[in-house]
Amino acid sequence: MNRHWKKRPLLLMKKYSTILIIIIVLISCTGSDNTKEQLPLLKISDNHRFLADENNKPFFWLGDTGWLLFKKLNREDAEKYLENRKRKGFNVIQVMVLHDLDHPVNIYGDSAFVCKNVAIPCETTGYKPDNEEAYDFWDHTDYIISLAAEKGLYMALVPVWGSNVKSGDISSEQASAFGAWIAKRYRDRKNIIWLNGGDINGNDSTAVWKALGKAIRTNDPNHLITFHPRGRLQSSMWFHDEEWLDFNMIQSGHRRYDQDDTELAYGEDNWRYVISDYKLQPVKPTIDGEPSYEGIPQGLHDTLQPYWNHNDVRRYAYWSVFSGAFGFTYGHNAVMQFHRATDTDASYGPKVEWETALNEPGAQQMIHLKQLMLSRDFFSRVPDQSIIAYNQGERYDYLAATRGDDYAFIYNYTGRKMDITMGKIRGKKVRASWFNPRDGSWQETGTFINSGKQEFQPPAMVRDGNDWVLVLDSVE
């Protein structure tokens, strides 16, 4: 017997252990890369009413307004924020890249531009300091976008907030140069959506917004683009026919019925904006990208006014989605500006700090809407008010109805009695259930003949905020 034979099993074990470790490492690395690549590009659905991913899977936009994320949060706090939103079912974060040209710096004190000129970004190529206090503005922005991608979150980026253009500090030429630069920087990131504008009328500096939109589209043909308008306005008023605008965005705003001084005078009826966009040609998807925020004064500026709460947030969400919107954006006063008690420049009187506000009731309830909309066939859904037989209602009593081929949803904010026209979906019989938007629970109510008229009374007493969704499903 070879005298080395006894050593061979040990040598072979060591050899194969080494190979196994290498394989595991390679698999781990590959798995990590694949995980990042699994976040698909978004596109417009085939019927031009919704969003889908590149694999044609339905994408229900559940957005959060983290407007000052890049400016006010360090990397540790950004991790806390994004992880919280991921766990609550959000999948889009709306954020400003540049908030204020007079102070274009992040929490580390690094500037975005040279001498306030957006055409000259202040880059430090390959700059990776050991001292986090010296983090480059764009490196920090890149880091947060990558972190969001790892968590399955899309970043809806406003390149430059509207007030900077309104002030006359940005020309069309500068906007075009900046649009080309930032589009090239992020065109290979799959989790990007572009929000041109930024709380601004489209007829204010229109040439600048068109130049910015065209520059982004030319240099990044793969990501979706819209326009974020000022309150109680919609992007379709100015840009619906622009080739760079893929979908419309509404800002229904933060005012009550009696505070709306616009010509449209829709007040709190955000569903009216959606319906008007839904009728336009060519067909483009639409969304309320900024309704009334939870925890913000009604009318914005007077902190002695009542504050909008989670009941109002749900009402805006279900009204707009059931009227034909492809998703919804939630917002909280403290979160959108990442308010801390030590801030000396807080806007609109936030009453809690941002980390507390992350878990306010409205933020926790939005996931129920997303789950409901994805629980049935997504792309066949249409708004259909003919489902309501009598008394569609006005203001808070308004009923919003939507349906697919074999299901129907009717949203009722006050819990009042409803008269429903049957026969709008397939089947001789339907199963009726109540869906609770406050906690996502279900109550079955029975099986009904799918013809004629049927009266339904939601559970509990009639009052604002006792909202329910009547769900009708074809028995077949």
Side-chain angles (χ1 to χ4, degrees), residues 18 47 100 165 171 178 209 239 245 286 322 352-353 410 442:
T18 302
N47 65 2
D100 182 1
V165 174
S171 67
F178 177 51
W209 300 122
F239 303 116
L245 188 124
T286 192
F322 283 20
V352 295
E353 293 192 327
I410 303 94
W442 293 78

Side-chain angles (χ1 to χ4, degrees), residues 78-356:
E79 162 70 33
K80 292 178 186 176
Y81 168 66
L82 295 175
E83 181 64 22
N84 181 282
R85 271 16 197 170
K86 168 192 172 183
R87 291 180 179 275
K88 286 183 170 57
F90 292 94
N91 52 17
V92 177
I93 306 298
Q94 296 177 197
V95 58
M96 305 176 195
V97 176
L98 176 64
H99 173 229
D100 182 1
L101 262 183
D102 290 326
H103 302 92
V105 297
N106 61 20
I107 194 169
Y108 301 110
D110 195 82
S111 180
F113 303 104
V114 176
C115 298
K116 295 173 56 176
N117 187 345
V118 300
I120 313 176
C122 186
E123 292 183 274
T124 311
T125 305
Y127 191 48
K128 297 180 180 179
D130 295 328
N131 179 8
E132 71 170 18
E133 297 302 324
Y135 278 142
D136 173 78
F137 182 97
W138 297 105
D139 285 347
H140 183 57
T141 302
D142 295 348
Y143 175 86
I144 293 177
I145 291 173
S146 294
L147 183 62
E150 292 173 10
K151 297 180 183 296
L153 299 171
Y154 291 82
M155 301 297 282
L157 304 180
V158 179
V160 55
W161 200 241
S163 55
N164 300 287
V165 174
K166 185 179 178 66
S167 65
D169 289 332
I170 300 175
S171 67
S172 295
E173 292 74 20
Q174 288 173 316
S176 184
F178 177 51
W181 178 85
I182 197 169
K184 290 175 183 176
R185 187 178 187 94
Y186 296 121
R187 63 188 175 190
D188 294 327
R189 306 284 190 117
K190 288 196 170 185
N191 66 323
I192 299 296
I193 303 162
W194 297 107
L195 306 190
N196 197 357
D199 198 41
I200 190 75
N201 289 23
N203 58 2
D204 187 311
S205 311
T206 305
V208 175
W209 300 122
K210 286 186 175 182
L212 184 58
K214 184 178 179 180
I216 293 173
R217 169 58 75 229
T218 299
N219 292 278
D220 179 7
N222 296 320
H223 291 111
L224 300 178
I225 309 176
T226 188
F227 183 91
H228 178 273
R230 197 159 177 80
R232 299 171 307 288
L233 297 171
Q234 50 211 118
S235 63
S236 59
M237 292 176 168
W238 316 283
F239 303 116
H240 183 75
D241 292 326
E242 292 292 325
E243 291 184 4
W244 52 261
L245 188 124
D246 295 302
F247 64 92
N248 280 305
M249 181 167 279
I250 298 156
Q251 184 188 162
S252 59
H254 309 274
R255 296 190 180 186
R256 295 192 306 262
Y257 287 109
D258 62 309
Q259 295 171 326
D260 188 350
D261 57 1
T262 63
E263 184 177 348
L264 291 175
Y266 288 166
E268 300 172 44
D269 292 346
N270 71 333
W271 54 269
R272 295 183 186 273
Y273 298 99
V274 177
I275 287 176
S276 68
D277 275 356
Y278 200 87
K279 295 176 181 178
L280 295 176
Q281 295 291 330
V283 173
K284 291 186 178 182
T286 192
I287 188 173
D288 191 348
E290 187 172 335
S292 294
Y293 290 162
E294 188 170 16
I296 205 167
Q298 296 176 7
L300 277 183
H301 302 288
D302 184 356
T303 57
L304 298 180
Q305 291 289 326
Y307 278 50
W308 297 109
N309 61 35
H310 57 101
N311 295 328
D312 305 303
V313 169
R314 294 194 310 275
R315 174 166 48 85
Y316 280 111
Y318 286 81
W319 271 358
S320 62
V321 170
F322 283 20
S323 297
F326 64 82
F328 181 73
T329 297
Y330 164 87
H332 192 285
N333 187 18
V335 174
M336 67 95 173
Q337 58 187 305
F338 297 98
H339 173 68
R340 297 182 177 88
T342 55
D343 287 349
T344 58
D345 58 349
S347 302
Y348 317 121
K351 294 184 177 181
V352 295
E353 293 192 327
W354 72 270
E355 289 188 72
T356 300

